[in-house]
Amino acid sequence: YEALVRIRGAQGLIMPENIFPVVELRALESEFDLAVLERVRRDMEAGRIPEGAGVALNVSGPGIVSDRVNDKLMQFAPWLATYKLVLEVTETSLITQIAQASANLNRLRRQGFTIALDDFGSGYSSLRYLASMPVDLVKFDISMVRMLESGNARQQLMIEEIARMVIAAGYDLVAEGIESQTLLDKVVRLGFSHGQGYLFGKP
């Protein structure tokens, strides 16, 4: 399970593309992270998530260097015996304190969290952060995964070679946006270890 954010508005659901620009404009990333983490904690406490399941928690780049967010994440430590908790670091381009982020992630890893770099390939800094921070999983951005089906020969070759390089460096790879068996077969052949998308289940 991945904790995804939607806001119930008068006209229906407000989606992330309309939420995050406001959060970033007002520099509320850490407060936003805290609110989401608290909701997930309550859901786990109430037994809404089956024991033994994996639970992915998204934390922003600014949040990963925030003492308050890290203290909140440490409150999840008792659940690590019951759930596989994956911490997905998003918005890495907003991380300005790489050393502090790495120290915090290493502390969380020692507690038992699996660390994932989210939306790999969606920004210009992904390789830098992958090389600099302690990461277990790399989540290929949906735009890159879709290029394996719809891109031209050069684009497909580049994505395939990047995937092979990341695998060779020892990371597990997650393909986002799997919506067809054909695409699933392709990423499996390339060596991706995990996939997510509508083919497996809808939010």
Side-chain angles (χ1 to χ4, degrees), residues 109-160:
R109 276 176 109 190
R110 287 193 295 271
Q111 286 291 324
F113 284 88
T114 297
I115 308 299
L117 185 65
D118 197 16
D119 297 330
F120 180 81
S122 63
Y124 296 107
S125 304
S126 292
L127 280 173
R128 174 191 169 202
Y129 291 104
L130 181 58
S132 303
M133 296 194 307
V135 170
D136 305 297
L137 281 172
V138 176
K139 296 187 71 176
F140 256 50
D141 186 65
I142 190 170
S143 62
M144 292 180 67
V145 173
R146 284 180 175 164
M147 255 189 259
L148 290 170
E149 271 192 323
S150 59
N152 60 39
R154 178 179 290 177
Q155 289 171 326
Q156 290 188 30
L157 179 62
M158 286 184 66
I159 302 303
E160 290 170 7

Side-chain angles (χ1 to χ4, degrees), residues 2-8 13-20 23 29 31-40 56-60 90-91 203:
E2 180 176 2
L4 300 176
V5 170
R6 307 288 185 268
I7 294 176
R8 295 189 190 279
L13 291 181
I14 302 172
M15 305 301 279
E17 59 266 25
N18 300 117
I19 299 170
F20 292 127
V23 171
E29 291 92 350
E31 286 76 8
F32 194 79
D33 289 342
L34 288 167
V36 174
L37 291 171
E38 176 58 21
R39 175 58 188 266
V40 176
L57 310 165
N58 291 285
V59 174
S60 67
T90 66
E91 301 165 345

Side-chain angles (χ1 to χ4, degrees), residues 22-145:
V22 178
V23 171
E24 290 176 19
L25 181 66
R26 298 181 178 273
L28 293 171
E29 291 92 350
S30 294
E31 286 76 8
F32 194 79
D33 289 342
L34 288 167
V36 174
L37 291 171
E38 176 58 21
R39 175 58 188 266
V40 176
R41 190 196 64 77
R42 291 203 312 263
D43 283 349
M44 293 168 71
E45 199 169 60
R48 293 193 180 99
I49 303 170
E51 289 193 4
V55 182
L57 310 165
N58 291 285
V59 174
S60 67
I64 208 59
V65 295
S66 159
D67 290 339
R68 289 191 301 147
V69 172
N70 277 270
D71 288 345
K72 173 64 75 173
L73 286 166
M74 293 302 284
Q75 292 177 16
F76 283 80
W79 300 104
L80 285 162
T82 312
Y83 299 95
K84 179 179 180 180
L85 298 183
V86 180
L87 181 60
E88 297 190 8
V89 184
T90 66
E91 301 165 345
T92 50
S93 62
L94 300 179
I95 298 177
T96 56
Q97 302 159 271
I98 294 287
Q100 185 61 52
S102 295
N104 291 345
L105 291 172
N106 273 319
R107 183 170 66 129
L108 291 162
R109 276 176 109 190
R110 287 193 295 271
Q111 286 291 324
F113 284 88
T114 297
I115 308 299
L117 185 65
D118 197 16
D119 297 330
F120 180 81
S122 63
Y124 296 107
S125 304
S126 292
L127 280 173
R128 174 191 169 202
Y129 291 104
L130 181 58
S132 303
M133 296 194 307
V135 170
D136 305 297
L137 281 172
V138 176
K139 296 187 71 176
F140 256 50
D141 186 65
I142 190 170
S143 62
M144 292 180 67
V145 173

